[in-house]
């Protein structure tokens, strides 16, 4: 790293392999902003059979008698049979049509090709690799092929001009961070063949307003739609089996989460709050609601992890005497919450439960408390000028780490 004013490199005729990021100016471990990287093109000898990910940042041309790779007139590199697109590094390309022989787009294939505005993907493509279109910030429209099966992690992360997206029926896997920070994306359709929406898949899609989740989806994981700040409402598919309480964290406009009455696993109330089917577990409170108070139904015995995480408008929450468990991060960052009463029925308060409730000035523990466990940082980073009623620790066997850290 740190080679400046490199214009030409002559590779030896017996060269067999080139490691990852060997000639790349987008190295993950080095800041290249001060480097004058002038390598215009790279010529591979016939002996090369192995190339590391993101190995260069310029057009690549390969000897005609190379038995492993082939290149086109723009310096786009493929495997010899043209079934795999290996790398495209040509900052003069604004349009690209993928050959109909290609079934796989390699990891980092179009990494940070910011000049690319229009790309046509062949209908034969089945797999789009990790970071394949990462940072392609000028692509505004994308039509994914009908044969597509897998979109790997970070594949379209940072495609900040992409406005609409419809994953084709037949797509099976979308990996974490796949569409992270697609900040111009307004509409999204996920087909029935996708069973899981992973962590951070559509995180920070700031203007996303319409999401169509079709039947077939079984799991929506942590932060899957985190900070989709324009999302107002969403309907959970009837097939859903697991919903992370923080799946919609930071969705400050989200007022309603709808659940079909035919769902076997979930239900909702008139406030758009999601519960398990028989309403014994409160799973997720919509963070965009403007209500300042909320009373948890008496059917609830458990407040799930992250249930009210970041519900910044609530200044008053009533917990019924039926609740025995308050999950981790359940009320984390409820900035307007001023006081809370912990009913005697509560046996466990998990870690970070009331952490960073900036205006939480008093906590009252009801008499006859059955409290057995308090997790680390449960009341840290709060503000207690009015104090706390006597904490019933008779049955608590340990005082956890940083329980009231920076709260007095």
């Amino acid at each position: 790293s740190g080679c400046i004013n490199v214009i030409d490199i002559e590779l030896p005729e017996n060269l067999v392999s080139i490691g990852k990021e060997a000639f790349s100016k987008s190295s993950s471990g080095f800041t290249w902003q001060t480097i004058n990287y002038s390598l215009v093109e790279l010529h591979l000898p016939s002996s090369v059979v192995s190339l590391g990910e993101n190995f260069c940042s310029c057009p690549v041309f390969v000897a005609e008698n190379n038995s492993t790779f082939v290149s086109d007139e723009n310096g786009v590199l493929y495997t010899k049979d043209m079934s795999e697109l290996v790398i495209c590094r040509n900052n003069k390309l604004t349009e690209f049509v993928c050959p109909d022989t290609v079934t796989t787009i390699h990891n980092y294939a179009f990494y940070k090709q910011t000049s690319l505005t229009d790309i046509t993907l062949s209908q034969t493509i089945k797999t789009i690799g990790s970071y394949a279109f990462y940072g392609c910030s000028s692509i505004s429209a994308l039509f994914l092929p009908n044969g597509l099966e897998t979109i790997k992690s970070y594949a379209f992360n940072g495609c900040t001009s992409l406005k609409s997206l419809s994953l084709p029926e037949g797509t099976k896997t979308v990996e974490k961070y796949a569409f992270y920070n697609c900040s111009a994306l307004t509409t999204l359709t996920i087909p029935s063949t996708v069973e899981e929406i992973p962590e951070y898949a559509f995180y920070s899609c700031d203007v996303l307003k319409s999401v169509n989740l079709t039947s077939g989806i079984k799991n929506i994981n942590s932060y899957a739609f985190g900070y989709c700040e324009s999302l107002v409402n969403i309907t959970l598919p009837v097939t859903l089996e697991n919903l992370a309480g923080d799946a919609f964290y930071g969705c400050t406009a989200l007022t309603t989460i709808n659940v079909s009455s035919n769902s076997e696993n979930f239900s909702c109330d008139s406030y758009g709050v999601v519960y398990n089917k028989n309403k014994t577990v409160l799973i997720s409170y919509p963070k965009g609601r403007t209500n300042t108070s909320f009373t948890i139904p008496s059917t609830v015995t458990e407040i799930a992890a992250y249930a009210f995480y970041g519900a910044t408008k609530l200044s008053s929450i009533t917990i019924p005497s039926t609740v025995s468990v308050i999950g981790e991060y359940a009320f984390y960052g409820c900035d307007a919450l001023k006081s809370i009463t912990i009913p005697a029925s509560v046996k466990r308060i998990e870690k970070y439960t009331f952490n960073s409730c900036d205006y939480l000035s008093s906590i009252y523990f009801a008499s006859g408390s059955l409290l057995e466990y308090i997790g680390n940082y449960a009341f840290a980073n709060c503000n207690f000028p009015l104090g706390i009623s006597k904490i019933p620790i008779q049955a608590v066997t340990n005082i956890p780490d940083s329980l009231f850290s920076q709260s007095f």
Side-chain angles (χ1 to χ4, degrees):
S1 66
C3 300
I4 61 173
N5 296 318
V6 177
I7 297 175
D8 186 35
I9 295 176
E10 184 175 345
L11 300 177
E13 287 300 323
N14 61 348
L15 184 68
V16 174
S17 67
I18 298 175
K20 68 177 182 179
E21 299 181 342
F23 303 105
S24 174
K25 65 178 178 180
S26 297
S27 170
S28 59
F30 192 86
T31 301
W32 289 87
Q33 293 177 347
T34 59
I35 292 177
N36 180 13
Y37 184 92
S38 304
L39 189 61
V40 176
E41 56 188 44
L42 187 66
H43 291 263
L44 303 181
S46 60
S47 54
V48 171
V49 296
S50 176
L51 296 168
E53 294 178 345
N54 197 26
F55 71 93
C56 75
S57 294
C58 63
V60 181
F61 297 93
V62 62
E64 289 185 6
N65 57 343
N66 185 294
S67 61
T68 306
F69 302 105
V70 64
S71 57
D72 66 14
E73 67 276 10
N74 293 309
V76 181
L77 189 69
Y78 306 85
T79 54
K80 191 69 173 182
D81 62 359
M82 296 283 288
S83 66
E84 301 176 28
L85 193 156
V86 179
I87 197 167
C88 173
R89 294 291 184 274
N90 189 333
N91 59 16
K92 294 180 180 179
L93 276 181
T94 58
E95 298 180 356
F96 180 78
V97 177
C98 188
D100 59 12
T101 55
V102 173
T103 61
T104 300
I105 297 178
H106 277 212
N107 298 347
Y108 294 91
F110 292 89
Y111 186 80
K112 292 187 177 181
Q113 292 300 284
T114 57
S115 62
L116 200 60
T117 60
D118 186 23
I119 184 162
T120 302
L121 299 178
S122 61
Q123 293 298 312
T124 52
I125 292 173
K126 295 184 180 299
T127 301
I128 297 177
S130 297
Y131 295 90
F133 294 93
Y134 181 102
C136 290
S137 56
S138 300
I139 297 176
S140 60
L142 183 67
F143 298 97
L144 297 175
N146 291 329
L148 184 65
E149 295 179 356
T150 301
I151 301 173
K152 293 191 174 182
S153 58
Y154 298 90
F156 295 95
N157 188 315
C159 290
T160 54
S161 295
L162 186 62
K163 295 179 180 179
S164 64
L165 178 67
S166 181
L167 301 181
E169 193 73 28
T171 304
K172 296 178 181 178
T173 303
V174 177
E175 294 185 357
K176 62 183 181 180
Y177 294 93
F179 296 93
Y180 185 110
N181 192 31
C182 288
S183 55
L185 189 66
T186 60
T187 62
L188 168 67
T189 298
I190 299 177
S192 62
T193 49
V194 173
E195 293 189 354
E196 181 171 14
I197 303 175
E199 294 90 342
Y200 296 92
F202 299 96
Y203 187 94
S204 197
C205 293
D206 302 346
V207 297
L208 183 62
K209 294 180 179 180
S210 174
V211 177
N212 181 17
L213 303 177
T214 57
S215 293
I217 297 169
K218 294 181 179 179
N219 303 301
I220 301 178
N221 294 331
S222 293
Y223 298 99
F225 294 96
Y227 282 99
C228 291
E229 296 176 342
S230 299
L231 192 62
V232 175
N233 62 73
I234 193 164
T235 299
L236 302 181
V238 69
T239 52
L240 193 67
E241 296 176 0
N242 298 292
L243 173 68
D246 54 349
F248 302 103
Y249 177 71
C251 294
T252 53
L254 185 64
T255 58
T256 304
I257 305 174
N258 300 305
V259 178
S260 169
S261 59
N262 294 324
S263 173
E264 295 182 359
N265 301 297
F266 299 97
S267 59
C268 65
D269 61 19
S270 58
Y271 292 94
V273 181
V274 180
Y275 307 82
N276 64 344
K277 185 64 175 179
N278 57 5
K279 292 189 176 179
T280 58
V281 181
L282 192 155
I283 296 171
S284 185
Y285 179 91
K287 309 309 183 285
R289 293 202 66 85
T290 58
N291 304 65
T292 58
S293 64
F294 182 73
T295 299
I296 296 172
S298 59
T299 56
V300 173
T301 60
E302 178 183 348
I303 301 171
Y306 300 91
F308 291 88
Y309 190 142
T312 58
K313 300 293 191 299
L314 287 174
S315 59
S316 173
I317 299 172
T318 301
I319 302 174
S321 58
T322 52
V323 171
S324 60
V325 177
I326 304 177
E328 61 185 52
Y329 294 88
F331 297 97
Y332 186 104
C334 290
D335 294 344
L337 191 61
K338 297 177 180 178
S339 65
I340 195 77
T341 296
I342 308 296
S345 58
V346 173
K347 295 181 179 180
R348 295 183 65 88
I349 298 175
E350 304 291 349
K351 64 182 181 180
Y352 292 90
T353 301
F354 293 95
N355 192 303
S356 299
C357 292
D358 295 344
Y359 290 94
L360 185 59
S361 57
S362 66
I363 300 175
Y364 176 75
F365 287 87
S367 60
S369 177
L370 300 175
L371 188 64
E372 298 173 354
Y373 175 84
I374 305 176
N376 295 345
Y377 299 90
F379 299 100
N381 301 303
C382 295
N383 176 28
F384 295 130
L386 302 181
I388 303 174
S389 68
K390 183 179 179 180
I391 301 176
I393 61 172
Q394 293 88 340
V396 175
T397 57
N398 70 294
I399 303 298
D401 294 345
S402 305
L403 177 61
F404 294 104
S405 175
Q406 301 185 44
S407 291
F408 294 97

